[in-house]
């Protein structure tokens, strides 16, 4: 079935409209809905008439508009037909709900709005109406449950709705603008619209997302802009077919706030690509390393009371932390967290098995202490002073989904243990008024737009990666999130000043492919900026595209001639491309400025070796050996050059030094073997070759390295037979 719809979409993307309509009609004929078949046939007839009029030479000034309308309708009809076919056979939740709501009509958006609006008032008046505490508690529980049921229905009926009618649009706008519907409920509604858009493209729902971005509450408008981005990921080519969408986007793309928010979300989505790496590092490195802590497992098995000096810290523990490298890893995690990376995925991924997470809509709930299952943790008379529990649940470090996980973990505890733990959180972590003000100020940062969007993206990540039925949804986090490639967002994301910041961010984080794309866009408007040419070239160099990198470096060199950095990287690219003569030319330019750069001397020496100028190369290598604290690289080069030009005693001196070092390399044993073989000391040569072979992954790897040097051995007077006989002697 997916092949059918993809085939139709492919026809439409190639503007083969008539063929696409034939395919849609064939799909519709397999559906039981007479209304669907009628609508498809009407669309076909309309297009056939248009073709007939055009064939007769009849000019219609509205022909272009008519064609575009039919074209858009063909997409919608294809999606509608595809869903109708699947709804009769698929057991995915999406189609289950479609069947459910076909048989039991859902409430209208207006009816659901009334129920949601009643919630706040009912919850506020219940304590006034019911003086009995138990009765009041029971009534409040019922109010919360009815509210949750209405909110879940709002999410589901919005998610599985196909194309809104004008009446539904009006109801949706009224719901969005209601001052009585809780903001948290509006957030769930916006998420439902977004998830619907990930399935099919409804221009009316998309326009609602664009309108929701202007909502005054940042909780709502940040979910809306994420929804706008997700819609672009799935339906970019569809968005630009609608003049009303283009007009609205044109205004937003000029809005400074929208541009800033969009760049923030671009970075946050990019950071989501790091989550799997962070998760793996936590599971495979940090947590196992922490479990090896000498303090873990030293419980008092005999039962003696601890003596007063039992709190004395063992200095070896601090040494263990430093030696294990755990400090650096934790610092790295802290830095990533400060940037907005998701460092808690590993911690909370095992806590998504609670019944709460079986309901799809719950993954999109903003955290609410009044949720029916967790309100018991806090009670109706919350303490006014800030506690550790408040700090955790108000922190912007944790996304909404993880806060629910934390609370359900508390609920799983035995009641007495839970109450004791919460009491300790309240008592032991009470803070001074000054500290309270600082913490309150800190927790208010939750209202910052970047924190809201980051938490929401983390919630989305958990949904697409951890929901029990995640295989039924298209995972948005399989996308590359290159928003500058989408016409609907391109104008906002490519504003020069913000784009430069974004490009530099990617550059610093080693996302070189993305950095190159952005620098290329910037260069279209600013071809005289040598820094942009340099950074674009460096991005290509890091990607291994040395040939193309050269062209960018040369352009930078034209704009700012003989820049040290440019010359050095021109040389490095030529060197990587196996062009030593050109590399040497630029290395020599760098040498004029940096005559004492020992690494540069090694690189010049390598170029000279490649050009078979061994004597000249030796001069550079001797210089490095004399001045370098760790001269082994220079000694390898001296040994090899001396061997090639026949200075065997000098070569032996340097290979003996290398083999007496702490960790000789495989090549040291190999090259020393060549030397002793040439000197006629076959026994020592075989011994060294065997050492080299033992350091290779397998014999094939050894043979590859050995035979690469065959030409040098032949120059020393050995025949090919001699070389192959020696190989058999190693077995």
């Amino acid at each position: 079935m997916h092949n059918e719809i993809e085939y139709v979409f492919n026809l439409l993307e190639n503007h083969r409209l008539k063929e696409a309509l034939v395919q849609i009609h064939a799909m519709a004929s397999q559906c039981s809905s007479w209304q669907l078949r009628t609508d498809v046939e009407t669309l076909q007839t309309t297009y056939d008439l248009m073709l007939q009029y055009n064939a007769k030479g009849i000019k219609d000034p509205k022909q272009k508009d008519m064609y575009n309308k039919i074209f858009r309708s063909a997409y919608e009809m294809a999606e509608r037909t595809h869903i109708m076919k699947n709804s009769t056979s698929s057991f995915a939740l999406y189609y289950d709900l479609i069947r459910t709501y076909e048989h039991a009509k859902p409430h209208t958006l207006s009816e659901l709005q009334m129920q949601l609006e009643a919630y706040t008032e009912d919850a506020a008046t219940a304590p006034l109406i019911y003086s009995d505490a138990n009765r009041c508690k029971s009534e409040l529980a019922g109010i919360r449950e009815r509210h949750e049921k209405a909110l879940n229905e709002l999410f589901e009926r919005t998610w599985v709705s196909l194309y809104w009618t004008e009446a539904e649009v009006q109801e949706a706008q009224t719901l969005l603008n209601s001052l009585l519907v809780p903001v948290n409920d509006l957030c769930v509604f916006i998420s439902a619209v977004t998830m619907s858009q990930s399935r099919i493209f409804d221009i009316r729902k998309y326009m609602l997302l664009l309108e929701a971005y202007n909502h005054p509450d940042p909780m709502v408008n940040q979910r809306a802009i994420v929804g706008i981005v997700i819609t672009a990921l799935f339906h970019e080519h569809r968005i630009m077919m609608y003049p009303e969408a283009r007009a609205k986007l044109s205004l937003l793309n000029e809005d400074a706030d929208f541009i800033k928010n969009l760049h923030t979300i671009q970075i946050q989505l990019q950071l989501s690509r790091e989550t799997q790496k962070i998760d793996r590092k936590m599971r495979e490195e940090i947590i196992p390393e922490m479990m090896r802590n000498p303090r873990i497992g030293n419980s008092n098995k005999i039962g003696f009371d601890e003596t007063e000096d039992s709190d004395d810290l063992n200095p070896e523990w601090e040494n263990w932390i430093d030696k294990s490298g755990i400090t650096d890893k934790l610092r790295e995690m802290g830095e990533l967290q400060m940037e907005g990376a998701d460092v808690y995925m590993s911690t909370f991924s095992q806590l998504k098995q609670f019944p709460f997470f079986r309901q799809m809509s719950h993954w999109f709930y903003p955290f609410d202490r009044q949720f029916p299952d967790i309100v018991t943790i806090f009670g109706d008379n919350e303490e006014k002073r800030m506690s550790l529990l408040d700090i955790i649940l108000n922190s912007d470090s944790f996304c909404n989904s993880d806060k629910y996980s934390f609370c359900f973990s508390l609920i799983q505890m035995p009641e007495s243990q839970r109450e004791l733990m919460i009491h300790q959180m309240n008592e032991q972590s009470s803070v001074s008024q000054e500290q309270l003000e600082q913490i309150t100020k800190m927790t208010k940062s939750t209202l910052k737009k970047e924190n809201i969007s980051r938490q929401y993206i983390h919630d989305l990540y958990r949904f697409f990666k951890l929901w029990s039925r995640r295989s039924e949804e298209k995972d948005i986090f399989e996308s590359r999130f290159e928003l500058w490639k989408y016409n609907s967002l391109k104008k906002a994301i490519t504003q020069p000043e913000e784009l430069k910041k974004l490009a530099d961010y990617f550059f610093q984080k080693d996302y070189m492919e993305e950095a190159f794309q952005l620098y290329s866009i910037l260069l279209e408007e600013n071809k005289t900026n040598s820094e942009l040419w340099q950074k674009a070239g460096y991005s290509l160099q890091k990607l291994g595209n040395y040939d193309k990198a050269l062209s960018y470096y040369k352009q930078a060199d034209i704009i700012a001639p003989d820049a040290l950095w440019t010359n050095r990287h021109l040389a490095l690219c030529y060197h990587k491309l196996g062009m030593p003569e050109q590399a040497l030319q630029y290395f020599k330019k760098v040498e004029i400025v940096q005559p004492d750069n020992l690494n540069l001397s090694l690189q010049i020496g390598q170029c000279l070796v490649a050009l078979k100028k061994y004597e000249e190369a030796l001069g550079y290598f001797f210089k490095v050996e004399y001045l370098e604290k760790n001269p082994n690289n220079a000694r390898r080069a001296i040994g090899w050059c001396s061997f090639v030009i026949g200075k065997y005693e000098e070569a032996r001196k340097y290979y003996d030094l290398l083999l007496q070092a702490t960790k000789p390399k495989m090549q040291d044993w190999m090259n020393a073997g060549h030397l002793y073989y040439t000197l006629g000391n076959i026994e020592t040569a075989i011994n060294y070759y065997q050492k080299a072979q033992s350091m290779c992954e397998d014999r094939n790897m050894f043979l590859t390295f050995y035979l690469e040097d065959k030409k040098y051995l032949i120059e020393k007077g050995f025949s090919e037979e001699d070389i192959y006989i020696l190989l058999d002697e190693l077995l």
Side-chain angles (χ1 to χ4, degrees):
M1 285 189 180
H2 281 290
N3 290 337
E4 281 184 332
I5 190 71
E6 286 170 6
Y7 179 59
V8 172
F9 282 167
N10 185 58
L11 289 173
L12 289 171
E13 285 166 15
N14 288 284
H15 287 268
R16 295 162 62 181
L17 180 53
K18 187 175 179 65
E19 295 170 75
L21 289 172
V22 170
Q23 291 297 321
I24 295 168
H25 185 271
M27 290 166 59
S29 65
Q30 300 172 44
C31 298
S32 58
S33 172
W34 65 268
Q35 184 63 58
L36 175 64
R37 292 197 298 273
T38 300
D39 290 345
V40 172
E41 287 169 1
T42 300
L43 191 62
Q44 269 190 304
T45 301
T46 302
Y47 189 53
D48 286 341
L49 287 171
M50 194 187 92
L51 293 177
Q52 290 172 23
Y53 282 124
N54 193 64
K56 291 177 182 178
I58 300 173
K59 297 299 181 183
D60 184 351
K62 295 185 178 180
Q63 179 176 291
K64 181 180 178 182
D65 292 339
M66 177 65 73
Y67 176 82
N68 289 332
K69 185 176 180 181
I70 295 171
F71 192 69
R72 294 193 298 264
S73 296
Y75 268 106
E76 293 178 6
M77 209 65 72
E79 286 176 327
R80 187 175 152 199
T81 305
H82 175 67
I83 289 170
M84 293 286 277
K85 282 187 68 176
N86 277 358
S87 65
T88 61
S89 57
S90 174
F91 293 101
L93 178 62
Y94 184 79
Y95 298 106
D96 279 344
L97 290 174
I98 287 177
R99 290 190 291 268
T100 298
Y101 287 129
E102 277 180 353
H103 292 97
K105 292 297 181 183
H107 292 93
T108 65
L109 290 175
S110 294
E111 291 168 340
L112 291 169
Q113 178 182 336
M114 291 176 64
Q115 294 181 46
L116 297 176
E117 288 178 340
Y119 166 66
T120 305
E121 183 179 351
D122 292 346
T125 57
L128 303 176
I129 297 173
Y130 305 102
S131 56
D132 180 73
N134 289 332
R135 177 69 188 280
C136 181
K137 186 175 181 180
S138 175
E139 287 297 325
L140 283 170
I143 291 168
R144 293 185 186 108
E145 287 174 6
R146 290 193 295 274
H147 170 255
E148 183 196 359
K149 184 178 179 182
L151 188 55
N152 288 343
E153 183 179 340
L154 174 67
F155 180 91
E156 291 176 349
R157 62 99 62 215
T158 303
W159 178 42
V160 301
S161 62
L162 298 186
Y163 301 98
W164 275 347
T165 62
E166 283 295 340
E168 287 176 312
V169 171
Q170 291 300 320
E171 290 180 343
Q173 289 175 339
T174 303
L175 173 62
L176 179 65
N177 296 323
S178 172
L179 298 176
L180 299 177
V181 175
V183 167
N184 282 0
D185 297 355
L186 293 178
C187 289
V188 175
F189 178 52
I190 294 300
S191 291
V193 173
T194 298
M195 291 306 297
S196 177
Q197 291 291 83
S198 74
R199 287 275 179 170
I200 62 172
F201 180 73
D202 179 3
I203 182 58
R204 293 187 172 107
K205 291 194 188 82
Y206 182 69
M207 294 303 292
L208 185 84
L209 288 175
L210 294 175
E211 184 178 333
Y213 175 72
N214 293 318
H215 194 280
D217 194 289
M219 291 276 287
V220 177
N221 62 48
Q222 289 307 292
R223 289 203 177 204
I225 192 173
V226 172
I228 292 166
V229 168
I230 290 174
T231 305
L233 293 178
F234 286 111
H235 306 295
E236 165 63 18
H237 62 293
R238 302 276 296 281
I239 293 170
M240 303 308 288
M241 294 178 188
Y242 294 86
E244 60 268 39
R246 294 198 302 270
K248 184 70 174 177
L249 285 166
S250 178
L251 293 174
L252 283 178
N253 284 332
E254 298 291 341
D255 183 86
D257 192 51
F258 181 79
I259 292 168
K260 181 180 177 182
N261 289 332
L262 193 61
H263 276 82
T264 298
I265 287 167
Q266 169 71 79
I267 290 173
Q268 290 168 342
L269 288 170
Q270 191 74 17
L271 276 171
S272 70
R273 290 171 58 181
E274 298 294 309
T275 304
Q276 282 187 327
K277 298 176 189 175
I278 294 169
D279 186 36
R280 193 180 305 115
K281 182 168 286 193
M282 291 290 287
R283 286 186 289 102
E284 297 177 4
E285 297 180 27
I286 294 177
I287 294 175
E289 199 67 55
M290 294 293 285
M291 295 302 293
R292 286 194 283 270
N293 187 334
R295 297 179 66 178
I296 296 174
N298 291 333
S299 59
N300 187 349
K301 299 184 184 299
I302 300 176
F304 288 160
D305 291 334
E306 292 185 357
T307 58
E308 62 180 14
D309 63 349
S310 62
D311 289 332
D312 186 31
L313 298 178
N314 188 337
E316 292 180 4
W317 297 338
E318 188 173 346
N319 292 336
W320 165 80
I321 290 174
D322 291 336
K323 289 178 181 176
S324 68
I326 199 76
T327 305
D328 293 336
K329 290 172 184 174
L330 290 173
R331 187 182 297 114
E332 180 187 351
M333 291 296 107
E335 290 171 355
L336 285 168
Q337 183 184 352
M338 290 293 289
E339 292 172 13
D342 188 352
V343 300
Y344 292 112
M345 176 70 175
S346 178
T347 306
F348 286 96
S349 61
Q350 302 305 313
L351 299 177
K352 305 299 180 187
Q353 305 304 317
F354 297 111
F356 173 85
F357 293 107
R358 293 174 194 161
Q359 177 75 34
M360 178 181 173
S361 57
H362 288 168
W363 291 85
F364 305 95
Y365 273 31
F367 181 71
D368 185 356
R369 294 173 182 235
Q370 295 302 310
F371 183 79
D373 290 341
I374 65 172
V375 69
T376 53
I377 295 178
F378 307 100
D380 295 322
N381 298 315
E382 296 183 26
E383 296 195 31
K384 292 184 179 179
R385 69 174 178 271
M386 186 71 72
S387 72
L388 177 60
L389 185 60
D390 293 306
I391 294 171
I392 291 171
L393 297 179
N394 289 336
S395 169
D396 58 17
S397 297
F398 302 101
C399 65
N400 301 286
S401 173
D402 289 351
K403 290 175 184 178
Y404 278 114
S405 294
F406 175 75
C407 289
F408 286 119
S409 298
L410 290 179
I411 292 172
Q412 288 290 100
M413 294 180 180
E415 187 175 355
S416 58
Q417 185 179 345
R418 180 175 71 247
E419 289 179 354
L420 176 63
M421 181 176 177
I422 293 174
H423 176 73
Q424 290 175 336
M425 284 181 170
N426 288 335
E427 292 297 326
Q428 296 182 8
S429 58
S430 59
V431 294
S432 67
Q433 184 62 34
E434 183 181 352
Q435 290 171 318
L436 174 59
E437 290 174 1
Q438 290 176 348
I439 293 170
T440 304
K441 185 177 180 181
M442 177 187 72
T443 55
K444 280 184 178 177
S445 67
T446 308
L447 298 176
K448 290 182 179 178
K449 292 180 178 180
E450 58 265 32
N451 293 329
I452 293 169
S453 58
R454 173 170 49 80
Q455 287 185 5
Y456 182 46
I457 288 169
H458 291 181
D459 285 327
L460 287 170
Y461 192 90
R462 280 149 182 70
F463 169 75
F464 283 105
K465 299 298 183 182
L466 300 175
W467 186 42
S468 58
R469 304 184 74 159
R470 59 189 174 276
S471 60
E472 298 174 8
E473 298 300 311
K474 299 174 186 174
D475 185 354
I476 65 167
F477 293 97
E478 296 298 320
S479 305
R480 290 186 63 86
F481 304 119
E482 296 167 341
L483 302 188
W484 54 90
K485 290 185 176 179
Y486 299 99
N487 289 329
S488 59
L489 305 172
K490 186 175 182 179
K491 188 173 181 182
I493 207 77
T494 57
Q495 292 290 326
E497 186 176 343
E498 293 296 328
L499 187 64
K500 176 66 164 58
K501 294 176 186 175
L502 188 61
D504 288 343
Y505 172 83
F506 285 137
F507 187 81
Q508 290 165 7
K509 294 299 173 186
D510 209 27
Y511 293 118
M512 291 303 176
E513 189 173 336
E514 291 82 358
F516 171 71
Q517 292 179 35
L518 297 187
Y519 286 130
S520 297
I521 294 171
L522 288 165
L523 281 167
E524 290 174 7
E525 301 297 326
N526 192 355
K527 289 184 167 58
T528 60
N529 188 319
S530 62
E531 180 188 331
L532 293 178
W533 288 105
Q534 286 177 333
K535 287 183 173 178
Y538 186 76
S539 302
L540 289 166
Q541 182 182 333
K542 292 284 283 184
L543 291 168
N545 193 342
Y546 304 110
D547 192 39
K548 193 172 180 181
L550 278 174
S551 64
Y552 281 79
Y553 287 145
K554 287 177 180 177
Q555 193 64 40
D557 190 46
I558 291 171
I559 297 166
D562 287 328
L564 180 66
W565 189 94
T566 306
N567 284 336
R568 183 173 181 79
H569 286 78
L570 279 164
L572 289 170
C573 286
Y574 277 123
H575 181 63
K576 287 288 187 180
L577 289 168
M579 303 170 71
E581 191 170 352
Q582 292 86 341
L584 184 61
Q585 174 188 345
Y586 285 100
F587 277 135
K588 289 281 191 179
K589 287 184 178 182
V590 177
E591 186 185 22
I592 295 170
V593 183
Q594 295 182 336
D596 298 327
N597 186 324
L598 298 182
N599 189 50
L600 177 63
S601 296
L602 278 176
Q603 291 166 328
I604 291 174
Q606 286 178 312
C607 291
L608 292 168
V609 168
L611 294 169
K612 298 186 178 181
K613 298 180 179 181
Y614 299 109
E615 292 285 0
E616 189 178 348
L618 278 170
Y620 283 93
F621 295 140
F622 280 127
K623 173 186 175 182
V624 174
E625 188 210 10
Y626 181 72
L627 296 173
E628 182 64 76
K629 292 180 180 178
N630 299 303
N632 280 349
N633 282 334
R635 286 174 177 171
R636 286 186 184 94
I638 294 169
W640 180 251
C641 289
S642 299
F643 167 71
V644 171
I645 62 178
K647 294 183 176 181
Y648 299 132
E649 284 306 314
E650 190 151 307
R652 176 155 53 184
K653 168 188 167 184
Y654 280 97
Y655 280 121
D656 286 348
L657 285 171
L658 289 168
L659 298 180
Q660 290 166 13
T662 308
K663 291 182 179 180
K665 292 189 173 183
M666 183 278 292
Q667 248 107 10
D668 297 334
W669 293 107
M670 176 80 77
N671 294 341
H674 294 336
L675 172 65
Y676 280 91
Y677 188 37
T678 303
L679 292 172
N681 192 337
I682 307 300
E683 187 175 346
T684 302
I686 290 174
N687 179 37
Y688 287 175
Y689 283 139
Q690 287 173 336
K691 292 267 192 183
Q693 187 169 267
S694 69
M695 296 177 73
C696 294
E697 290 179 7
D698 51 37
R699 182 167 170 80
N700 286 334
M701 181 179 176
F702 171 77
L703 289 174
T704 300
F705 285 117
Y706 177 83
L707 293 175
E708 279 181 358
D709 295 339
K710 183 173 71 170
K711 60 183 179 182
Y712 297 104
L713 294 174
I714 290 174
E715 287 175 2
K716 299 298 178 185
F718 296 102
S719 66
E720 287 203 10
E721 291 77 12
D722 293 332
I723 294 166
Y724 289 116
I725 288 170
L726 179 64
L727 283 175
D728 286 339
E729 290 174 358
L730 298 178
L731 291 173

